[in-house]
Amino acid sequence: AFLQVHGGRRNGYYPRKLETTFGQVDLKVPRDRESRYYPAFLKPYVRRLVDVGEVAVALYAAGVSQRKAAEILSLLLGHRYSHETLSALTDEVLEAAGAFRTRPLPEEMAFVYLDGLSLKVFREGEGIVRESVYVALGIAPNGERRVLGFWLLPTESALGWEGVLGELWQRGLRRVLLFITDGLPGLPEAIRRVYPQAEWQRCVVHGVRWSLSQVRSRDRALLAEDLRRVYGAESREEALGALEEVKAAWGSRYPGVVGLWVEESGAFLRFYGYPKVLWPYLRSTNLMERFIRELRRGTKVRDHKFPKAEAVYKLLYLESERQEGRWAERKLKGFSEVKEVLEKMLQERYAPRTQTL
């Protein structure tokens, strides 16, 4: 039919393999002498009607190891895939991961969580080493969550976090009300150097865990209950009163524990300066820890097998994209009620200040 319309002569055929949902098919593709003819249903250089790359990426994102994913695809498509082939297929997401990690950020976020996790990565000349993944998670005034970025660095430190915060600034994030983090030494100072007008909330849950680890087992339940009266109070004034009771009851026995809560009371109780409906989100890094649990779920089968940093970025990007897709369907409860309040707080916090002579 093609030759009847365009003229020319046949020139035999050439063999080609095509992978389909029914397995691999051996084709004989006809050709003409001028090489103008090409079957419409075949795309140039494409050897699969099934998008094996998409399937491989989906399996990888779901926490399936590359060897296991290769076995699954071999069973489904009747063609043997090696784990090296699967690695090459999932490498196609590296460009998207790079774009994700450098994408422009909104100018403002009401709250930003900072936390990290440790993974084993193979380094040339060093073997398998432990490295830290830095993760930043933001919440907009309307309750939308966004993964602001992830970074792979040798160790977690305040200096490393300062570099991360500087990158967030460069990518467009200029206004933040509150950073919620654990008690890493030097981190509050790093935040102030990059975002001097933002406040810092120290995670209450981390503080309680550390405190209970420092006392005798017989005292843990009682101390936990007394500390709950501090961060579970109905107001900052009531919380400070409960803290005085903790100081009187436990100060002589555990001066280090009580001293931490007294000295850091401003950071532990910062959430009282925000709408009450948001207190459960602000007094701890639980939102971030839930996200990190999802990341760890995908790393369990690979924790000792990441061959390079790029493999870590692939996994983090795929999980971040999956989670953001889920978050888009449901915003955090309570934020719709206080959206205007948070926006006003941002405007007032970052309003240009005029100097008087």
Side-chain angles (χ1 to χ4, degrees), residues 28 37 68 96 133 170 300 320 336:
K28 292 182 177 180
Y37 173 73
K68 191 65 178 177
V133 178
Q170 292 298 324
K300 283 181 180 177
S320 297
S336 59

Side-chain angles (χ1 to χ4, degrees), residues 19-309:
E19 293 169 19
T20 74
T21 53
F22 306 102
Q24 184 171 282
V25 177
D26 294 322
L27 301 178
K28 292 182 177 180
V29 183
R31 60 188 174 190
D32 65 306
R33 291 195 173 185
E34 288 76 23
S35 299
R36 296 171 299 166
Y37 173 73
Y38 197 83
F41 77 94
L42 287 178
K43 295 181 180 180
Y45 309 111
V46 173
R47 296 293 181 264
R48 307 176 184 94
L49 287 182
V50 180
D51 195 334
V52 179
E54 285 190 7
V55 178
V57 168
L59 290 171
Y60 190 85
V64 179
S65 69
Q66 289 177 348
R67 291 183 184 276
K68 191 65 178 177
E71 294 177 12
I72 292 171
L73 286 175
S74 298
L75 289 171
L76 290 175
L77 302 178
H79 175 70
R80 183 182 177 278
Y81 292 90
S82 67
H83 71 279
E84 289 86 359
T85 301
L86 266 292
S87 178
L89 289 169
T90 55
D91 276 347
E92 295 176 6
V93 306
L94 281 176
E95 184 177 347
F100 184 91
R101 295 181 61 233
T102 58
R103 63 181 176 172
L105 297 175
E107 285 192 24
E108 62 183 31
M109 282 282 166
F111 311 113
V112 173
Y113 297 83
L114 304 177
D115 206 349
L117 65 153
S118 178
L119 293 178
K120 294 177 183 177
V121 182
F122 179 81
R123 290 291 187 183
E124 192 69 35
E126 300 179 54
I128 296 175
V129 297
R130 278 278 181 187
E131 299 211 352
S132 295
V133 178
Y134 292 50
V135 185
L137 176 65
I139 303 181
N142 64 357
E144 290 182 353
R145 284 168 283 180
R146 179 186 288 238
V147 180
L148 303 179
F150 44 81
W151 301 260
L152 188 64
L153 297 172
T155 58
E156 185 178 9
S157 67
L159 184 62
W161 277 116
E162 188 170 346
V164 164
L165 292 169
E167 184 178 319
L168 295 180
W169 176 275
Q170 292 298 324
R171 288 167 56 199
L173 179 60
R174 301 302 172 87
R175 299 187 291 275
V176 179
L177 283 177
L178 183 70
F179 283 90
I180 302 104
T181 77
D182 59 17
L184 181 70
L187 183 51
E189 292 76 16
I191 292 172
R192 280 195 290 270
R193 282 192 287 270
V194 183
Y195 292 92
Q197 291 166 273
E199 293 184 323
W200 174 56
Q201 165 71 45
R202 181 166 181 167
C203 176
V204 168
V205 173
H206 281 81
V208 171
R209 288 174 185 165
W210 179 85
S211 300
L212 298 183
S213 71
Q214 302 300 305
V215 305
R216 298 183 181 91
S217 57
R218 67 187 182 191
D219 293 332
R220 287 173 187 164
L222 289 174
L223 178 59
E225 185 61 33
D226 287 348
L227 290 175
R228 191 176 294 112
R229 293 193 186 97
V230 176
Y231 62 82
E234 291 298 310
S235 67
R236 179 181 174 83
E237 291 70 26
E238 184 181 328
L240 290 173
L243 184 57
E244 285 298 318
E245 294 177 5
V246 169
K247 184 178 178 180
W250 302 97
S252 59
R253 271 183 286 180
Y254 303 111
V257 170
V258 174
L260 171 71
W261 284 85
V262 172
E263 293 168 12
E264 297 286 341
S265 60
F268 278 126
L269 305 180
R270 195 83 66 198
F271 66 91
Y272 283 112
Y274 296 84
K276 185 177 180 179
V277 69
L278 304 183
W279 291 355
Y281 299 121
L282 305 184
R283 60 189 170 207
S284 76
T285 57
N286 282 351
L287 269 179
M288 171 66 92
E289 289 191 0
R290 282 202 289 272
F291 175 61
I292 287 179
R293 277 199 298 271
E294 290 298 318
L295 293 179
R296 286 198 178 280
R297 180 184 58 81
T299 65
K300 283 181 180 177
V301 296
R302 311 180 181 89
D303 195 30
H304 63 292
K305 296 180 181 178
F306 282 109
K308 51 187 177 179

